Amino acid sequence: MLKKQSAGLVLWGAILFVAWNALLLFFFWARPLPGGPSSEDPFADDPASLTRRVIRLAQEAETELERQQGLLQQIRKHSVLWSRRHQAATAGPAAVSRPTPASAVSVLPVLVIACDRSTVRRCLDKLLHYRPSAEQFPIIVSQDCGHKATAQVIASYGNAIMHIKQPDLSSVPVPTEHRKFQGYYKIARHYRWALSQIFRTFKYQAAVVVEDDLEVAPDFFEYFQATYPLLRTDPSLWCVSAWNDNGKEQMVDATRPDLLYRTDFFPGLGWLLLAELWDELEPKWPKAFWDDWMRQPEQRRDRACLRPEISRTMTFGRKGVSQGQFFDQHLKFIKLNQGFVPFTQLNLSYLKREAYDQDFSAQVYAAPQVQVEELKGNQKQELGEVRVQYTGRDSFRAFAKALGVMDDLKSGVPRAGYRGIVSFLFRGRRVYLAPPQDWTGYDPSWS
C-alpha cells in the first residue's frame, strides 16, 4: 500500500510540474510586453518590436524555468526517500533504524556482461532481489552473441533492467596461432563496446561490472556503496573487487565478514571502476585476454584494488570460453558471504594506503616465522598468527601448492597478494605467505 501511495504522489508531483510550466509558458506568450505596443498599436507587427518581445519572453521563461528546477529536484528527492521508506518498511525494524550515509547519493550502475547463457536469470534475480534502490543502482545488461533464448530471458524483466545489444556479431580476425582463442577476442571487443556505452553514451561516472554467471551476496550493493568513496579519493586505488581468489570456505575467517584488504592483483569477478580509469584504458584496450592485460605493470601502475575476506560474488558458470579452467578444482569452492555487513556504517579509513601499508606490514612481520612442515603437522598452535617466508618464484609456488593457495603468478603478482604477501587461513590459523621484509617489488619474469 505504501509503495502505491508513494508512486501516486510522485506521479502527481510530476504532472503538476509539467502542467505548471505549460501554464507559465502560455501566460508569458499571451500577456502584452510591459512598456511595449498594445494590440491597437499600429507598430505591433513591426519586426524589430516582435524580435524584442521574443527575446524578452525567452529571458523571462528561462528565469522561471530556473526557479522551477528546484521543484523538480524536490520531486526526485522525495521519490528516492519514499522508495527507501518502502524498502525499510518491508525489510523490518533493523533496516528502519539504519542511518542513510552520505555516499548513498552516488549512482552506481551495474553492467551485466551477457552472451549465450539463459542462466543469466540466476544472476539477474539475485541482483534485483538485493538491490536497495533502482534509482541508485540501475542494472544494464549488455548482450553479445545474438543468442535468442538468452535475449528472451533478459527481455522478460521488462523495465526493471535496461537491455542493450552489441551490434557487431562478426568474427574477429585473429593470428593463426590464436584461432582457438577467438572467443577471448570477442569478449574483449564486447567489454570495450559495453564500457564505452556506460561511460560515453550514458555518461555515468562509475560502474560495477559483473558477468552473467555470477551470483551476488546480500550485501553486494552495500559493499560497493561503502567503498566507492575510497576509490574516488585515494589515487593509489584503481578498482574495488567483490572477489577473493583464495576465498574457499576453509581458507577464510567466517567470523570476520567485515574484513577488507588491499591487493596488487586485479581480481575482477564483480568489480567497480571509475570513468577516469576508462578514459585511461580505452585508447589502448587489448584485442584479447583483457583481464590478464589489466594485470600487467603498464596498466596497474603500482595501484591496488580493494577485496574482501569473504567473496561477495560466486561463479556458477562452469562452461565458457575457458572450457571450465579452474572451475572444478577451485572456483566452485569459493565461499559466498550469506550475511549482511553494514559497511556504510563502518570506518574504512584503515584501507587508505599510508595507514594500511604501515599497519599491515607491521602485523605480518611481527608474526613468528614457521616452516610449512610445522603448519601441515599442526605444530606450534600456541603461536596464533604465523608467517611462512618464500624467497623466490619456485619456493612461492611450492609453499602455495602445499598450503592450498592459488600458486599462479601474473606479471609476478600472486593472486590476492599485496606487497608480495598473501593472507589466508590454514586449519583455522591465520597464515601470511610473505617475502623477506626487505622486499623491493614484483619481478614480472615470475610468470
Side-chain angles (χ1 to χ4, degrees), residues 428-439:
R429 303 171 69 185
R430 177 63 60 182
V431 178
Y432 301 109
L433 182 56
Q437 194 166 3
D438 60 356
W439 180 84

Side-chain angles (χ1 to χ4, degrees), residues 31-199:
R31 71 173 182 171
L33 183 67
S38 66
S39 57
E40 291 85 19
D41 193 333
F43 299 99
D45 294 330
D46 177 58
S49 174
L50 181 59
T51 300
R52 288 195 299 272
R53 183 172 182 178
V54 170
I55 292 173
R56 178 68 176 273
L57 174 63
Q59 290 173 340
E60 291 181 349
E62 182 179 3
T63 301
E64 190 61 30
L65 285 173
E66 288 175 352
R67 293 173 187 166
Q68 295 304 312
Q69 188 175 10
L71 177 60
L72 180 59
Q73 290 173 345
Q74 288 296 317
I75 291 173
R76 290 173 177 166
K77 178 180 177 181
H78 287 298
S79 173
V80 173
L81 289 174
W82 283 323
S83 175
R84 287 178 186 156
R85 286 173 184 170
H86 170 70
Q87 290 154 9
T90 57
V96 175
S97 63
R98 288 177 55 200
T100 301
S103 60
V105 299
S106 302
V107 176
L108 294 178
V110 178
L111 171 63
V112 181
I113 300 292
C115 181
D116 59 356
R117 287 190 180 103
S118 57
T119 52
V120 66
R121 184 180 299 279
R122 178 174 172 181
C123 171
L124 295 176
D125 282 350
K126 290 294 185 179
L127 285 170
L128 290 170
H129 179 68
Y130 294 130
R131 179 172 68 170
S133 166
E135 294 82 7
Q136 189 180 349
F137 298 102
I139 296 173
I140 302 169
V141 184
S142 179
Q143 187 188 0
D144 198 2
C145 309
H147 191 249
K148 291 184 178 180
T150 301
Q152 289 171 352
V153 169
I154 299 169
S156 70
Y157 288 87
N159 294 330
I161 63 173
M162 179 186 294
H163 186 191
I164 60 176
K165 298 180 181 180
Q166 208 281 94
D168 186 0
L169 304 181
S170 63
S171 297
V172 181
V174 301
T176 303
E177 63 274 17
H178 280 187
R179 190 172 298 166
K180 64 180 180 179
F181 298 129
Q182 182 161 135
Y184 290 99
Y185 282 78
K186 288 186 176 181
I187 289 173
R189 180 177 67 182
H190 184 198
Y191 261 87
R192 180 171 192 161
W193 181 84
L195 288 169
S196 293
Q197 292 296 302
I198 292 293
F199 296 121

